[in-house]
Amino acid sequence: MSFVPVAEDSDFPIQNLPYGVFSTPDNPRPRIGVAIGDQILDLSVIKHLFTGPVLSKHQDVFDQPALNSFMGLGQAAWREARESLRNLLSTSCARLRDDTDLRRRAFTAQASAAMHLPAAIGDYTDFYSSRQHATNMGIMFRGSENALVPNWLHLPVGYHGRASSVVVSGTPIRRPTGQMRPDDAKPPVFGPCKLLDMELEMAFFVGPGNNLGEPIPISRAHEHIFGMVLMNDWSARDIQKWEYVPLGPFLGKSFGTTISPWVVPMDALLPFAVPNPEQDPKPLPYLRHDRPYTFDINLSVTLKGEGMSQAATICRSNFKYMYWTMLQQLTHHSVNGCNLRPGDLLASGTISGPEPESFGSLLELSWRGTKAIDLGNGQTRKFLLDGDEVIITV
């Protein structure tokens, strides 16, 4: 237990301890913190308390305005930091608990803080790793006899996204404009997107990178995964449909991607690991692993439109529905020698489960706009309207 009061239903007990970057009205400098209860522990204030064999030489990483340097130190540093934090925050440790002046300087109420992107994201890749989502998309656009494209069961499909438009939760997203072809019998038109969608995803940050030309073997992939965030991959379906052949998503995706401000370290998630899905056909040897790296994480999406008194739940899904694991995603990403770097963001793709209520996008929930999603009190949606708020929670 922690000496910091933590409500029973808090997302931030001492077992979690996610990292984020925050600022306050009295100190606008972005700095690294850890969430505990409704408080943020400012690691720049207590950096001198990290006295272990690794971090004693790298206390300066907690003075940075982003997590990249800490991410790049690797597992030994991460585990040492986590153990130090759990000890410092425990009821049995007097060092921080009984130092009134240090506590006053070190803790900030979450309600008074502004959150920033947790890392400087150099590169962002989005995968397409939910079999149910890929199947749903295939049925809608190609028919059930050709739902999965031939390569899907052999490799984790992905595309290179736009890092500059990844924003932290709470940042407004503007409806994009672009080319669309709503009527295949007529020329394309230009205007605001009419089929604006959300996508329920999770993503992970890369820790230590690899040198150009040196792939990361799957046996060591876990050493390069720092932690996870929630993600909404906003999608302009009408722009995407017209542009994506032959090179894949472009302007239908690059206008905005939202991630949660708190990065949950993998050590906090390992208790939720479950056996990996059976993969048939068996992937090529470089993608095979026995380590359980599928995670039982319940996820929900609510939508609140203008004038609605409360948000309506539109999706309940689970991260365990992914077919390709994060180890396979990272290994495949680097197998050609591509160099990953600390702070790179790799996303899961839309997380859809076997039941209609677990589909992770409006495109699937409304089945390509053929049925309305009931929000209660006479409100329905097929795609997003201006003023809608989308909330993804664990």
Side-chain angles (χ1 to χ4, degrees), residues 50-338:
F50 292 98
T51 56
V54 179
L55 288 173
S56 60
K57 307 181 191 70
H58 298 284
Q59 294 174 348
D60 59 310
V61 298
F62 297 121
D63 260 335
Q64 304 302 310
L67 282 161
N68 299 64
S69 294
F70 179 50
M71 289 172 170
L73 291 180
Q75 277 193 323
W78 309 337
R79 286 179 172 161
E80 188 178 291
R82 183 169 172 79
E83 186 57 37
S84 296
L85 288 166
R86 286 173 66 102
N87 182 52
L88 287 167
L89 290 167
S90 71
T91 53
S92 59
C93 180
R95 180 64 185 87
L96 182 57
R97 184 196 67 202
D98 294 348
D99 189 329
T100 306
D101 179 63
L102 184 59
R103 283 181 60 176
R104 179 185 57 78
R105 291 184 291 114
F107 285 101
T108 296
Q110 288 191 37
S112 66
M115 300 305 298
H116 305 269
L117 281 175
I121 302 169
D123 283 293
Y124 155 53
T125 299
D126 196 13
F127 286 92
Y128 186 53
S129 291
S130 160
R131 182 170 185 167
Q132 188 65 56
H133 173 66
T135 300
N136 289 342
M137 298 293 280
I139 292 171
M140 281 189 279
F141 292 98
R142 290 187 300 275
S144 57
E145 71 287 346
N146 190 30
L148 287 179
V149 293
N151 64 356
W152 200 93
L153 292 171
H154 295 274
L155 57 85
V157 173
Y159 73 93
H160 192 73
R162 183 72 187 175
S164 67
S165 53
V166 178
V167 296
V168 73
S169 181
T171 304
I173 297 293
R174 292 193 178 191
R175 182 178 297 272
T177 55
Q179 278 197 38
M180 299 154 282
R181 194 178 186 182
D183 188 337
D184 291 340
K186 296 179 181 179
V189 297
F190 178 83
C193 158
K194 293 181 173 60
L195 306 180
L196 185 59
D197 202 354
M198 49 69 59
E199 287 189 343
L200 167 63
E201 301 198 22
M202 294 190 72
F204 68 87
F205 276 104
V206 173
N210 58 303
N211 294 324
L212 183 66
E214 298 179 8
I216 298 169
I218 200 158
S219 61
R220 305 198 64 177
H222 64 284
E223 299 172 10
H224 296 262
I225 299 177
F226 175 74
M228 300 193 72
V229 291
L230 298 172
M231 195 176 103
N232 185 349
D233 181 27
W234 306 96
S235 301
R237 298 302 187 188
D238 39 7
I239 296 173
Q240 180 184 1
K241 180 176 180 288
W242 173 234
E243 73 176 1
Y244 85 101
V245 175
L247 293 181
F250 184 29
L251 302 183
K253 296 281 193 177
S254 63
F255 61 95
T257 303
T258 300
I259 63 171
S260 56
W262 295 108
V263 188
V264 179
M266 293 312 299
D267 275 351
L269 294 172
L270 288 178
F272 302 96
V274 295
N276 303 318
E278 188 166 337
Q279 295 180 324
D280 183 22
K282 189 173 276 192
L284 292 174
Y286 79 96
L287 287 173
R288 296 177 193 169
H289 70 91
D290 296 323
R291 177 188 295 267
Y293 223 75
T294 296
F295 294 88
D296 185 3
I297 302 172
N298 285 313
L299 302 161
S300 67
V301 183
T302 59
L303 192 157
K304 185 178 182 183
E306 289 187 335
M308 290 176 60
S309 59
Q310 60 183 28
T313 300
I314 59 172
C315 166
R316 295 187 190 276
S317 196
N318 194 297
F319 189 61
K320 69 183 179 183
Y321 296 140
M322 305 310 293
Y323 183 84
W324 295 101
T325 70
M326 291 180 281
L327 302 183
Q328 292 172 318
Q329 291 170 340
L330 185 137
T331 297
H332 184 66
H333 201 315
S334 75
V335 74
N336 66 342
C338 172

Side-chain angles (χ1 to χ4, degrees), residues 140 175 194-198 235 237 303 314 361-375 379-385 388:
M140 281 189 279
R175 182 178 297 272
K194 293 181 173 60
L195 306 180
L196 185 59
D197 202 354
M198 49 69 59
S235 301
R237 298 302 187 188
L303 192 157
I314 59 172
S361 68
L362 293 176
L363 182 64
E364 294 166 273
L365 290 166
S366 72
W367 205 253
R368 206 178 174 183
T370 60
K371 58 182 183 180
I373 303 161
D374 183 18
L375 304 182
Q379 290 257 23
T380 62
R381 288 291 185 280
K382 293 182 179 178
F383 292 94
L384 295 172
L385 301 181
D388 283 352

